[in-house]
Amino acid sequence: MKIPRAAVSASRTVLFSVALVACEKHEPIDEAKAAGKTTADFPQITADIFKPMDGGVDLSPEEIMGRNTWNLWSAGNQRFWNRAAQDSYGLIDLLKMLDNRKYPRGERFKILGLNNEPGFRAPSKPDEFGLCLDQQVEPEPKGIDENIYGKPSGVLGFRLFPNPEFDEKARKKWDGKRFYEDRTYYNDNKLVRPYRVGVACGACHIAPNPSNPPADPENPLWENLASAIGNQYINEGKVFACNVEKGGFFYEMLAAQPRGTSDTSRIATDHINNPNAINAIFLLAERERIATPEKMAGGTLALPGEGEEMRVPHILKDGADSVGVLGAAIRVYVNIGMFSEYWLARHDRLLGLKSQKPFEIPYARQHSVFWRSTQERVGQVAAFFRKLKPLHLADAPGGQAYITTDRTVMARGREVFAENCAACHSSKQPPPGIDPRSREGKAWLRAAVMAPDFLENNFLSNDKRYPLTKIETNSARAFASNAKAGHIWDNFSSQTYKELSPVGEMEFFDPFNETQPIKFKPKEKNVGPGYYRVPSLVSVWSSAPFLHNNALGKFTGDPSLAGRMEAFNDAVEKLFWPERRKGPDSIWRTNQRCYLHIRREYVPWALRFRCDGDGYLNIGPIPAGTPINLIANLEPSSWDLLTLVPRIKADLDKVRVQRLDDEAAKKVFANLVPDLIKANKCPDFIEDKGHYFGTNLTDTDKGALIEFLKTF
């Protein structure tokens, strides 16, 4: 059968055209741009909405707008959190988290660590959608346009927006009772919710004011709250994954996470479980003054005010977002869902099964109205931060009673601090050219610390990075890889950061063989990471537990002065007397047998035949007592793990099929451990180790130093 030449030619033309269309670059834009909006459609709030907060501090118009942005602006991320609820099949669901049937308002601070907004109460009945959201009894301060900022949810930092997809068809399908009770209903990834939930930065940073704590944490007044103290009470797992169920590995991982921490590299994932204490923000201007110059390149230079070499403070624990305050601030908004249309196209949102691509700043500026609107705001946010001063224990009601009145003890505390701490924990340093650890440098520091104004405008950190080999704290955050060249936050880290010298080989405690340490060196060659910047000691009395992961000291859950001091005393004693630490007992472990459940849609093609009939790749049972980070720090797309998964599944299936007891199950699992450690991105399991500076002091000197720390 002959085909006419004209038909062949036409077919080729069609195929070529289809190929061209298929190769056409997809250029996502955000919802605001798609709707034809501009930055003029998102005016800032000039009214002093939160006047009683932050100790009633007087703010300029610019600073007022900055605080309003910090506490209210979601930058369009309500679209991201709505999509997350659907893509996670109900695992993440902020709307359900806000429902009083899940977590009652009267226990919200205790369970979630979130702050109830004044002027609300628990609902007396469900609303028109069958939801039990907080009921507003007092009008919110005037000046908030709900079309831009959503309406209040009753929980600070979370705002409600009408869902544009909730049409008549969705309304007919919606059932508020089933949304709460029926797993098959709320796990439906096509379910359209009546509201989207937007998240402002204040969701994780607003907390009880240490200088004026609420009499009842569940019912604070505005004057009992601080905007940027860092919420050391938040329970991130229950807040952002409220539907996670016992029996799953993810439940065990979130249950072990310390209160007051946030794993900002869970999305986009770096395949390292590294929850970190949420920063308190003080003395930003002083932090900027002492910042060291770093080199910038590439898309980073598209940030406002960037230069090829500029002074940058190190905001994140590892100093990764080293591009200046404005760049660091706007990255936070991207990280919590701004311009998710583009952000989610640069990485795999759940398991990280494909290589990351950089979030390009020039692209965002061109294609996102929310980016440009946020860019207009971050300067005012920084201005607000510069106004925030330390909170002193002596100024809190009853605080003076916790501080010694013995002048000799206090004077000795100053001397000990000068000799052992000030070289790192002071922004007042010897003149250039004088090593603070030299004899001349120590003499200079001693004179500075003994001066009456030493603590005045002192950031109590030199803001420099130091290698893990010197600090010795848990390595997880320092090995975070998202800001490396070519990764998601490439444009938000300096060239200096990307070219840091690699740290040397380290030895970690092996929980499976305590006589033989794990020898570990990052797989990346000729480049960091592996550093921590020096944390500030400003208001350290109010911020225990300590270390970058809140692992040192007990969590009291009590924001009263007595509760904070109980936490401080426990943490500071363990800091200087390391024999009182938990050590190997601080390793996060599974509390019961559990399974790693991965939906078929997110399993690599090469492994989908391993999925069970329920549509999941079920790996387990993982024995009780397994170090959580042995599993959580595995990179699923790595060749080591892809070749190991079939063996893991086969061995653990034996445990299930043969109904082996815990001891027998552990023996089977032990055969997998060497390969799991080899494939692990960070096999550093002890959480409360490190920072042994000052531990060799006499008990008398330690006591004097602690008294001085209370005055910070």
Side-chain angles (χ1 to χ4, degrees):
M1 181 177 179
K2 293 184 178 180
I3 301 176
R5 182 176 297 179
V8 172
S9 178
S11 298
R12 286 175 177 170
T13 301
V14 169
L15 289 172
F16 182 67
S17 300
V18 169
L20 281 178
V21 171
C23 292
E24 222 174 85
K25 188 177 179 182
H26 175 59
E27 295 191 344
I29 60 175
D30 71 11
E31 273 192 328
K33 184 169 184 176
K37 295 184 177 182
T38 69
T39 58
D41 293 303
F42 299 95
Q44 297 195 54
I45 301 172
T46 57
D48 198 355
I49 302 296
F50 302 102
K51 175 66 176 174
M53 292 180 70
D54 306 302
V57 61
D58 288 328
L59 301 177
S60 69
E62 181 186 31
E63 294 158 355
I64 288 170
M65 288 190 289
R67 179 164 63 182
N68 291 338
T69 291
W70 184 252
N71 290 344
L72 293 172
W73 175 245
S74 62
N77 68 24
Q78 55 270 18
R79 182 182 189 276
F80 165 75
W81 290 107
N82 180 71
R83 182 172 175 182
Q86 294 176 311
D87 287 353
S88 69
Y89 294 86
L91 179 70
I92 300 170
D93 200 326
L94 295 183
L95 186 59
K96 180 175 286 188
M97 180 273 295
L98 295 171
D99 194 298
N100 278 258
R101 292 170 294 181
K102 186 71 176 178
Y103 303 118
R105 180 178 174 88
E107 298 180 27
R108 188 174 283 144
F109 182 83
K110 177 183 176 182
I111 298 173
L112 301 179
L114 296 180
N115 295 277
N116 287 327
E117 182 168 345
F120 284 76
R121 68 184 178 198
S124 56
K125 60 180 181 179
D127 66 8
E128 60 177 312
F129 302 116
L131 298 169
C132 292
L133 303 174
D134 285 7
Q135 184 177 351
Q136 192 167 359
V137 293
E138 296 177 12
E140 197 173 37
K142 293 181 179 180
I144 302 176
D145 186 339
E146 293 185 355
N147 293 316
I148 299 172
Y149 297 95
K151 69 177 185 178
S153 67
V155 185
L156 288 167
F158 297 88
R159 311 286 296 182
L160 297 173
F161 294 80
N163 190 341
E165 298 173 349
F166 194 71
D167 55 17
E168 192 60 35
K169 180 180 178 181
R171 182 182 288 269
K172 289 179 179 178
K173 184 180 178 181
W174 176 257
D175 187 322
K177 188 173 185 292
R178 292 186 67 195
F179 173 65
Y180 181 71
E181 297 175 351
D182 186 344
R183 182 181 180 187
T184 60
Y185 182 80
Y186 63 71
N187 279 355
D188 181 0
N189 68 338
K190 298 293 193 297
L191 179 65
V192 179
R193 292 152 177 79
Y195 295 112
R196 291 175 172 182
V197 181
V199 181
C201 290
C204 293
H205 287 268
I206 296 173
N209 189 328
S211 295
N212 186 20
D216 176 7
E218 304 291 356
N219 292 287
L221 303 176
W222 288 111
E223 53 264 34
N224 299 135
L225 299 166
S227 299
I229 191 68
N231 189 355
Q232 67 201 82
Y233 304 97
I234 193 171
N235 187 336
E236 187 175 68
K238 288 187 180 297
V239 170
F240 290 99
C242 69
N243 283 336
V244 66
E245 297 177 352
K246 287 185 178 181
F249 176 78
F250 193 46
Y251 175 90
E252 296 291 326
M253 185 173 76
L254 294 177
Q257 180 176 335
R259 295 286 290 263
T261 64
S262 176
D263 188 349
T264 56
S265 64
R266 189 167 282 136
I267 305 176
T269 182
D270 60 359
H271 306 293
I272 298 178
N273 183 32
N274 55 14
N276 283 254
I278 301 169
N279 288 329
I281 301 171
F282 295 113
L283 298 175
L284 178 59
E286 177 68 357
R287 193 173 197 170
E288 292 171 312
R289 183 189 71 80
I290 64 171
T292 54
E294 299 199 9
K295 296 178 181 178
M296 307 295 156
T300 302
L301 295 172
L303 284 166
E306 292 291 306
E308 292 186 359
E309 185 167 320
M310 56 183 287
R311 291 180 174 272
V312 292
H314 303 139
I315 308 300
L316 292 178
K317 310 297 182 187
D318 59 341
D321 54 349
S322 43
V323 293
V325 173
L326 302 186
I330 202 167
R331 187 202 64 82
V332 173
Y333 281 99
V334 180
N335 200 65
I336 59 175
M338 179 179 74
F339 196 16
S340 60
E341 295 88 345
Y342 175 58
W343 181 50
L344 293 178
R346 312 304 284 174
H347 64 90
D348 177 48
R349 58 189 172 275
L350 288 177
L351 297 180
L353 292 173
K354 67 180 182 182
S355 298
Q356 295 180 355
K357 296 179 182 178
F359 182 96
E360 299 283 357
I361 292 171
Y363 184 93
R365 291 184 63 177
Q366 180 180 355
H367 294 88
S368 172
V369 173
F370 282 120
W371 171 280
R372 294 196 296 275
S373 295
T374 305
Q375 184 175 292
E376 291 177 356
R377 287 166 160 79
V378 289
Q380 285 112 9
V381 172
F384 167 56
F385 289 163
R386 294 186 189 102
K387 197 64 174 281
L388 298 176
K389 303 297 182 185
L391 302 171
H392 295 295
L393 175 58
D395 296 332
Q400 190 65 59
Y402 290 94
I403 305 172
T404 184
T405 57
D406 190 324
R407 294 184 179 181
T408 303
V409 171
M410 191 62 74
R412 181 56 186 158
R414 284 178 175 266
E415 291 174 347
V416 175
F417 184 84
E419 295 164 3
N420 297 274
C421 312
C424 288
H425 288 289
S426 174
S427 61
K428 298 180 179 180
Q429 292 287 318
I434 299 178
D435 184 347
R437 292 167 183 80
S438 67
R439 180 179 299 179
E440 185 181 2
K442 287 184 177 180
W444 190 97
L445 285 171
R446 188 179 187 281
V449 175
M450 298 306 291
D453 65 348
F454 172 69
L455 294 177
E456 190 175 315
N457 202 37
N458 193 330
F459 182 58
L460 294 172
S461 165
N462 63 12
D463 206 42
K464 294 181 179 179
R465 301 187 191 95
Y466 291 96
L468 275 168
T469 47
K470 186 176 184 68
I471 307 301
E472 299 184 74
T473 50
N474 183 273
S475 309
R477 183 64 197 187
F479 284 141
S481 56
N482 281 350
K484 288 170 48 186
H487 288 231
I488 188 72
W489 301 133
D490 170 289
N491 282 204
F492 296 88
S493 65
S494 66
Q495 196 65 23
T496 302
Y497 171 83
K498 295 183 181 79
E499 295 174 356
L500 287 171
S501 299
V503 295
E505 184 177 74
M506 286 163 286
E507 293 186 349
F508 300 143
F509 174 80
D510 187 343
F512 299 95
N513 181 6
E514 298 184 14
T515 63
Q516 187 71 33
I518 298 169
K519 295 185 182 295
F520 178 77
K521 196 169 186 178
K523 295 179 181 179
E524 294 83 4
K525 304 296 183 183
N526 305 318
V527 66
Y531 295 77
Y532 284 121
R533 50 96 174 153
V534 177
S536 171
L537 297 184
V538 171
S539 302
V540 67
W541 65 272
S542 70
S543 58
F546 294 158
L547 300 185
H548 68 276
N549 52 7
N550 275 2
L552 191 64
K554 67 180 178 181
F555 173 77
T556 66
D558 180 2
S560 72
L561 189 61
R564 287 185 188 270
M565 292 309 298
E566 181 185 356
F568 170 82
N569 288 330
D570 184 68
V572 80
E573 287 175 7
K574 288 172 179 171
L575 181 69
F576 292 126
W577 286 274
E579 63 273 15
R580 302 180 188 179
R581 303 185 192 185
K582 294 180 179 180
D585 289 339
S586 72
I587 295 174
W588 300 333
R589 296 179 182 270
T590 56
N591 285 312
Q592 61 182 32
R593 283 191 179 194
C594 60
Y595 284 79
L596 184 61
H597 304 290
I598 305 174
R599 283 192 68 95
R600 178 184 175 85
E601 291 88 339
Y602 305 115
V603 174
W605 281 100
L607 296 176
R608 287 193 177 182
F609 75 98
R610 297 279 181 179
C611 291
D612 295 330
D614 62 356
Y616 285 82
L617 176 65
N618 297 298
I619 299 177
I622 299 167
T626 300
I628 286 170
N629 288 344
L630 180 67
I631 307 297
N633 292 352
L634 297 171
E635 187 169 3
S637 60
S638 71
W639 179 251
D640 285 342
L641 193 60
L642 284 173
T643 56
L644 185 58
V645 164
R647 185 183 147 206
I648 294 173
K649 181 168 173 55
D651 283 4
L652 294 182
D653 279 349
K654 293 177 185 177
V655 175
R656 176 175 52 83
V657 173
Q658 298 176 18
R659 299 183 179 180
L660 300 180
D661 61 22
D662 284 344
E663 287 306 310
K666 287 179 180 178
K667 289 179 181 178
V668 172
F669 190 79
N671 295 326
L672 302 168
V673 167
D675 288 326
L676 289 172
I677 289 178
K678 180 182 176 183
N680 201 287
K681 286 192 72 176
C682 182
D684 189 4
F685 303 114
I686 294 181
E687 297 294 334
D688 68 352
K689 64 174 185 168
H691 194 285
Y692 299 118
F693 311 106
T695 58
N696 59 344
L697 295 169
T698 67
D699 286 359
T700 300
D701 280 352
K702 290 177 182 178
L705 177 56
I706 290 170
E707 290 303 318
F708 184 47
L709 293 176
K710 291 177 186 178
T711 67
F712 286 9

